[in-house]
Amino acid sequence: MPAHARKKKAEEPEKAVPGTLIDNVDGLTGDGKGGIEHFDGFLITPDGHIAQVYHQGEKRPKYADYRLDGKGQVVVPGMIDAHGHVMSLGFSKLTLDLSGTRSREEALARIRAWTAAHPDAPWILGGGWNETEWASADLPTATELDAVSGGKPAWLTRVDGHAGWANSAALTAAGITAKTNDPKGGRIVRDGAGKPAGVLVDAATALVAAKLPTPRPEDRDAALAEAQLDLLEHGVTAVADMGTSIEDWQAFRRAGDSGRLRLRIVAYADSIANMELIGGPKPTPWLYDDRLRLDGVKLFLDGALGSRGAWLKAPYADAPETSGLPLLNQTQLSNLMSRAALDHFQVAVHAIGDKANAVVLDAIAELSQTYTGDRRWRIEHAQIVSPADIARFGQHGVIASMEPQHEASDRTMAEARLGPERLAGAYAWKSLAATGATLAFGSDTPVEPARPFVGMAVAVTRQGADGQPVGGWQAQEAISREAALGAYTTGAAYAMFAEDRLGRIAKGYRADFLFLDKDPMLASPEALRTITVRETWIGGQRAWAAAQSQQDEAQIRPPEADAPASQGGDPAPDR
């Protein structure tokens, strides 16, 4: 080759690489082996995947379609909430919120104020109350609610969703009287004369729920928008929606059709019938660029510990007349699980009490002989497990889908409900993981706020926001930061059959990541709780930014608003 030709070829500029280069970051991600991989840059393809991850000293493209200087900020994978209720979260933002009330009087004052501010509302709807947080832990009554509800029917769900507080007008609308029998799997709390006192537990809540005004499609769309904003603001890029109704699914589809679905939602239908209606002969494919999928079904076996609906092997320490409220027997549960497994739908079973967990494990052991292969049976919550049953989680690929924040919120209540001798298997994260079970962490939002870094802080300390108890509650069950991060990323992705695309910043994965103000591996436990998400990116597009949150509160912008592939220049403002 002539010298002038070689010189010309040598002087040809390096071609621009298609996509977006995120550079100069302090990045960390799970390495897929239980450890942490550090990196300082990565390249995103135009269709929102990770093309390459760069480590210190490694050459990266000189030119890319777009380049973002991270200026040393911490970058982690998007957090995955393994168990949430998307539409319930959204509606909680649109109705009366009683969460955080510290006394009965505060709750009643909040109800009175909301009633006065919404004179045209036909019902007073909301929830979030928790009598165990009040000075007097007695259950609230219809009479108390009558005094502040102005004669309108009122229905306010307990924080765990397993009980509801009705006033007299709501009880009348539901036809509930002293002669009404407790439904199977439910309880009508009664006064000394046998009359309904105002609180309904588990299956009994359906008596009032059937009379509530039906939300319009536009109400559901508004609730979904609210839920997405809350989750994106706190770094949740994907969520397992536990108990998806047909109406929920249609709201998700409308958002997907119109480009308003920013979050990734993996749905678990609220019944076998709706599972079949949505999925047909098998789980749906991924829709809307991996933003929506139906994996399976969510079944309920028992209630909650706080309302004494959790199914225990022995009577409650503080209510020896009951051992909880099983919602299904062993045969019914096995039949429902078998129907789902027959067509390869994933099965997730709500089990909180030790008896409930044992029954689910029995069913899994039986069904695994027929339904072989990669089933990933999920037990949701797994809050109280008999030590004798813990080892069984390591069999048959069981997923322990748990919520660290529940431990911090419930520990004193759990002590009262169980007594000290039955706490060894309570919220037993480390012991369950040691069996080989996959830990997948979530929030159960809106039962707890979807705050993954708060959950991480609880997981590594077994303490509440007040630093109590000193040394941690049942401290032997605390886990490492690496394990906690993994439970919110790779573990949660595995639990929803998405480990090949979500949960890591790695080649071939979806470019879902966060810019944070602190390193979760180095921050003190107190600082870990207060980590601020500066930006949330999904599929290589900025889905939420703190700097724009005030402008974004009304609605989530369409995907193309910040898409690097469609806009010139630096895709993000100078930091």
Side-chain angles (χ1 to χ4, degrees), residues 219-231:
D219 297 327
R220 294 184 181 278
D221 294 344
L224 177 57
E226 289 286 345
Q228 289 195 90
L229 282 175
D230 183 84
L231 294 167

Side-chain angles (χ1 to χ4, degrees), residues 9 43 46 55 89 100 102 114 136 172 200 241 247 300 336 352 361 364 379 415 472 493 500 505 521 529 550 571:
K9 184 175 181 179
L43 181 67
H55 305 88
L89 170 61
R102 308 301 296 180
W114 194 94
S136 171
T172 298
L200 310 177
D241 186 60
E247 294 81 7
F300 278 95
L336 292 172
I352 288 183
L361 290 166
I364 290 172
I379 297 183
E415 290 172 350
D500 61 340
I505 298 176
M521 293 295 107
R529 286 180 171 276
Q550 296 300 317

Side-chain angles (χ1 to χ4, degrees), residues 321-569:
E321 71 279 4
T322 182
S323 296
L325 292 170
L327 304 179
L328 300 167
N329 61 37
Q330 175 84 58
T331 300
Q332 290 170 325
L333 176 67
S334 293
N335 286 343
L336 292 172
M337 293 175 67
S338 178
R339 173 61 194 92
L342 182 66
D343 287 333
H344 292 272
F345 288 99
Q346 190 183 16
V347 177
V349 184
H350 167 115
I352 288 183
D354 53 6
K355 178 65 173 179
N357 277 278
V359 168
V360 180
L361 290 166
D362 288 343
I364 290 172
E366 175 191 350
L367 294 172
S368 292
Q369 299 176 36
T370 302
Y371 301 108
T372 57
D374 188 7
R375 296 292 176 164
R376 303 189 195 181
W377 312 97
R378 294 179 58 135
I379 297 183
E380 304 302 312
H381 309 304
Q383 283 180 297
I384 312 300
V385 181
S386 171
D389 290 324
I390 285 178
R392 300 172 68 194
F393 273 77
Q395 304 168 10
H396 310 299
V398 176
I399 309 280
S401 173
M402 307 177 76
E403 301 82 21
Q405 289 158 273
H406 282 339
E407 182 271 321
S409 298
D410 295 352
R411 64 177 178 83
T412 56
M413 178 269 291
E415 290 172 350
R417 297 288 185 270
L418 300 172
E421 68 280 359
R422 285 191 284 174
L423 297 177
Y427 314 90
W429 311 316
K430 188 171 185 178
S431 293
L432 289 169
T435 71
T438 296
L439 285 184
F441 281 169
S443 64
D444 203 13
T445 185
V447 176
E448 298 283 355
R451 307 292 184 265
F453 299 106
V454 173
M456 280 188 63
V458 176
V460 302
T461 65
R462 305 279 292 193
Q463 294 175 322
D466 58 359
Q468 296 297 316
V470 175
W473 188 78
Q474 301 291 317
Q476 73 278 3
E477 294 296 346
I479 60 176
S480 68
R481 292 183 188 234
E482 291 82 0
L485 180 65
Y488 280 109
T489 53
T490 54
Y494 180 84
M496 57 174 64
F497 285 92
E499 75 278 9
D500 61 340
R501 67 196 68 203
L502 305 179
R504 296 177 60 200
I505 298 176
K507 186 175 181 178
Y509 281 67
R510 284 290 184 178
D512 299 353
F513 58 93
L514 313 174
F515 285 101
L516 305 179
D517 69 336
K518 304 179 191 73
D519 185 337
M521 293 295 107
L522 300 176
S524 68
E526 296 78 13
L528 183 56
R529 286 180 171 276
T530 64
I531 281 179
T532 296
V533 177
R534 290 175 171 167
E535 293 187 4
T536 300
W537 288 60
I538 298 180
Q541 300 176 10
R542 187 174 53 194
W544 183 90
Q548 298 174 348
S549 62
Q550 296 300 317
Q551 303 168 21
D552 266 357
E553 286 181 357
Q555 62 180 11
I556 297 178
R557 292 169 293 123
E560 60 270 15
D562 280 315
S566 63
Q567 297 213 352

